[in-house]
Amino acid sequence: MVYDFLFNTHKLYNDQRSNQAIGLQLGLSIVDCYPYLPMMSDNSAASSMMLQPRDQKRLKRTISVADSIAGDGSPTSTLSRSSSTSSLSNLPRLQFRDHIWTYTRRYLAAEAVEEAAAAMTKAEDGCCGDQQDGTADGMRLVQLLIACAEAVACRDKSHASALLSELRANALVFGSSFQRVASCFVQGLADRLASVQPLGAVGSFTPSMNIMDIAGSREKEEAFRLVYEICPHIQFGHFVANSSILEAFEGESFVHVVDLGMTLGLPRGQQWRRLIESLANRAGQPPRRLRITAVGLCVEKFQSIGDELKDYAKTYGINLEFSVVESNLENLQTKDIKVLENEALVVNSILQLHCVVKESRGALNSVLQIIHELSPKVLVLVEQDSSHNGPFFLGRFMEALHYYSAIFDSLDAMLPKYDTKRAKIEQFYFAEEIKNIVSCEGPARVERHERVDQWRRRMSRAGFQAAPMKMINQAQKWLKNNKVCEGYTVVEEKGCLVLGWKSKPLIATSCWKC
């Protein structure tokens, strides 16, 4: 229930960013949505939330109608065009604290509705008290998190510290799904607050390790393995990517895969084991030679995986050649990739390219240019489908809060409350992503997830053309055959396949040609 409420809150926040009029509209929407709630007698705050000049025309029309009709239908007063124009031009721009005020009103209204609904249900079965209390606590956490994020953004250390103390007491690692996700954001806010410098100071946030390039601790590696086994995100990406690769390799005898990041060094090379099986069982003859080139800095780990894959390929009668290019994506050069004549080349990127999306865009453009020069038959791109790379901290914070609340909500449906596997997944994998998004800036911030529409624009500018994925039925069948938790969905969006949880997009897969 808290996740559903947060979904609506996130939608309202996006509306506010796109139109400054939302402050006034929110105040009115409470009455529209909940007509049985009493009106607030103090309208001074609401009256200060007006439209910017670009929306004056709509406001004048609205006010004219509202003011010209009284409760009994008789005319009252009208607002002249000249007076409305002059008064509106002097109105101040909304501040984020004004947005917080409107959120607070909406929260109070929603809480009142939840309390009324819970009371009615309790009268029927007498068993909804705990649920109502949990919902109210969750909404209170949302308020505290947003207020704390605002204080951190304003570099108000004293107020932010006070809010963090209250958040730590309520955001429990083994609590409800929203309490658990809140605990991760509290860690991120605390780290960011610790790095805050006075206005005008020059400096950067403490760098964090890039999970693609440096092998993590044993706990992080185990958490990543559990994410792969329990959550469908990466397995879905592998399935769609392999299907596209198989189609590109159809009828080819010499095939080559360039794997960017090797799926973060996932043990045993799970994606390529399944590709080897599919190539061996395809119609006609299996390829005479399969080459896999891994790109990354974890050379020993990648080589160990490659040795296992070569032995595995032999059991299927496939000659596999494996090599490693020791380089991160930003320093990759075309000459590093050895491409042979008469071989079909594909490039595979699973949750990798967002790490080179920087403010200057130069790093990503360089990588895409190198891939384009290789002239692959297809580039398979799998990325988180969320906007965590906006220029403003508060916007990223709200986007991330919504996105990871959906993930933690799905974990709630898949694993018991006190399951240690779930705690490891949340605290050693997703919490690391959250902390990087919330606490880091500059080169240290590598979790720069973007929406599929933004990737579509970037790829188009780099000279790639979309290759529509016409396999929605196979993807939905994959969900069913793998007994993926009910609540996960797959939809086709402009030629891309998007995995989501309860209508919230999580992972987007797309295919590109030169």
Side-chain angles (χ1 to χ4, degrees):
M1 186 173 293
V2 174
Y3 168 69
D4 296 333
F5 180 79
L6 183 62
F7 177 86
N8 294 328
T9 302
H10 177 264
K11 183 177 184 299
L12 291 171
Y13 177 81
N14 285 337
D15 292 342
Q16 285 181 325
R17 290 193 303 167
S18 63
N19 188 342
Q20 294 289 344
I22 196 67
L24 178 61
Q25 293 171 352
L26 274 175
L28 297 175
S29 66
I30 296 175
V31 182
D32 295 336
C33 297
Y34 312 114
Y36 42 83
L37 292 178
M39 284 288 293
M40 296 180 65
S41 59
D42 182 9
N43 293 325
S44 59
S47 65
S48 68
M49 296 185 180
M50 295 295 185
L51 295 171
Q52 293 300 306
R54 65 180 180 273
D55 295 313
Q56 290 175 8
K57 184 176 181 180
R58 181 175 62 180
L59 180 63
K60 284 181 288 186
R61 180 171 64 253
T62 303
I63 294 178
S64 177
V65 173
D67 290 349
S68 61
I69 301 177
D72 58 355
S74 61
T76 56
S77 62
T78 59
L79 185 64
S80 67
R81 180 180 297 272
S82 60
S83 63
S84 63
T85 303
S86 61
S87 62
L88 286 170
S89 62
N90 297 325
L91 289 173
R93 179 178 290 274
L94 283 174
Q95 301 298 320
F96 192 78
R97 292 181 185 276
D98 299 322
H99 295 317
I100 296 298
W101 182 88
T102 61
Y103 284 134
T104 302
R105 287 192 63 189
R106 189 61 182 259
Y107 294 145
L108 293 175
E111 285 180 358
V113 175
E114 293 288 350
E115 290 172 0
M120 292 173 63
T121 308
K122 186 175 181 180
E124 295 176 357
D125 55 22
C127 63
C128 288
D130 292 340
Q131 182 180 357
Q132 188 274 328
D133 292 340
T135 301
D137 291 342
M139 293 176 183
R140 173 61 177 163
L141 270 181
V142 175
Q143 291 176 288
L144 289 173
L145 281 171
I146 296 174
C148 186
E150 182 206 12
V152 172
C154 296
R155 304 188 184 189
D156 187 347
K157 283 195 170 184
S158 59
H159 185 44
S161 297
L163 291 170
L164 282 173
S165 297
E166 186 173 355
L167 281 166
R168 288 191 179 101
N170 293 280
L172 307 177
V173 176
F174 283 99
S176 65
S177 64
F178 191 74
Q179 285 178 317
R180 300 194 310 274
V181 75
S183 71
C184 300
F185 278 88
V186 168
Q187 296 174 46
L189 287 171
D191 291 345
R192 188 179 183 93
L193 184 64
S195 303
V196 164
Q197 300 180 14
L199 288 171
V202 178
S204 60
F205 293 94
T206 303
S208 64
M209 293 190 302
N210 186 338
I211 191 172
M212 170 189 169
D213 297 332
I214 302 176
S217 65
R218 181 178 300 178
E219 289 81 4
K220 291 181 181 179
E221 291 180 357
E222 183 181 1
F224 183 53
R225 178 183 59 81
L226 291 172
V227 169
Y228 177 79
E229 293 176 355
I230 295 173
C231 302
H233 309 172
I234 300 175
Q235 290 190 48
F236 173 76
H238 284 177
F239 167 75
V240 176
N242 281 357
S243 298
S244 300
I245 293 172
L246 282 171
E247 183 177 347
F249 284 168
E250 187 175 354
E252 300 286 351
S253 297
F254 301 95
V255 295
H256 184 186
V257 178
V258 175
D259 189 1
L260 306 181
M262 202 71 178
T263 311
L264 309 179
L266 184 69
R268 304 184 72 239
Q270 298 287 359
Q271 178 180 3
W272 306 129
R273 286 175 177 263
R274 287 168 173 75
L275 180 66
I276 289 170
E277 296 170 5
S278 299
L279 287 173
N281 296 322
R282 74 179 185 180
Q285 296 293 323
R288 294 172 59 184
R289 184 186 65 218
L290 167 63
R291 297 178 61 219
I292 297 178
T293 300
V295 179
L297 298 180
C298 305
V299 178
E300 292 184 4
K301 178 185 288 187
F302 289 174
Q303 194 60 58
S304 175
I305 295 172
D307 293 340
E308 292 181 13
L309 288 175
K310 285 191 288 187
D311 293 337
Y312 189 74
K314 285 181 182 178
T315 62
Y316 286 89
I318 292 180
N319 176 29
L320 171 63
E321 297 179 7
F322 186 89
S323 60
V324 180
V325 174
E326 185 177 1
S327 173
N328 57 25
L329 295 183
E330 295 182 54
N331 297 322
L332 185 65
Q333 298 182 22
T334 308
K335 63 181 182 180
D336 295 332
I337 309 296
K338 184 179 179 182
V339 181
L340 304 179
E341 293 184 6
N342 301 322
E343 70 176 5
L345 174 69
V346 301
V347 177
N348 182 71
S349 178
I350 308 292
L351 311 181
Q352 296 299 306
L353 287 186
H354 70 263
C355 295
V356 291
V357 177
K358 307 295 183 183
E359 288 87 349
S360 65
R361 301 181 183 177
L364 177 63
N365 291 341
S366 176
V367 174
L368 293 178
Q369 181 180 356
I370 290 171
I371 296 174
H372 198 277
E373 290 174 358
L374 293 173
S375 298
K377 292 192 68 174
V378 69
L379 162 63
V380 181
L381 181 64
V382 178
E383 286 291 342
Q384 292 92 339
D385 189 15
S386 192
S387 182
H388 299 155
N389 193 39
F392 303 110
F393 165 68
L394 290 168
R396 295 199 309 270
F397 183 89
M398 290 298 296
E399 290 278 355
L401 185 60
H402 185 213
Y403 179 82
Y404 288 101
S405 294
I407 291 179
F408 278 55
D409 190 56
S410 69
L411 290 171
D412 225 24
M414 291 187 290
L415 294 170
K417 183 175 182 179
Y418 295 103
D419 196 313
T420 57
K421 293 180 181 178
R422 189 177 71 177
K424 290 177 180 178
I425 290 173
E426 294 173 348
Q427 295 300 316
F428 291 109
Y429 184 77
F430 290 119
E432 293 299 310
E433 291 186 353
I434 292 171
K435 287 189 290 185
N436 187 269
I437 294 168
V438 173
S439 66
C440 295
E441 291 293 351
R445 181 159 59 86
V446 296
E447 300 297 346
R448 296 173 176 265
H449 313 144
E450 295 189 322
R451 294 200 182 280
V452 66
D453 286 339
Q454 180 66 18
W455 280 111
R456 194 177 286 114
R457 289 189 289 269
R458 290 188 184 277
M459 299 300 291
S460 178
R461 287 196 297 264
F464 290 89
Q465 296 180 344
M469 292 180 165
K470 300 178 181 179
M471 50 177 296
I472 182 65
N473 293 333
Q474 296 144 279
Q476 292 173 343
K477 185 178 179 181
W478 179 87
L479 285 182
K480 183 178 180 180
N481 292 342
N482 287 269
K483 299 180 180 179
V484 175
C485 177
E486 184 178 354
Y488 277 102
T489 58
V490 178
V491 297
E492 184 177 352
E493 181 181 330
K494 298 179 181 179
C496 304
L497 292 180
V498 180
L499 177 73
W501 172 258
K502 294 181 178 179
S503 78
K504 171 60 182 175
L506 298 179
I507 298 292
T509 61
S510 56
C511 196
W512 304 89
K513 294 182 179 181
C514 295

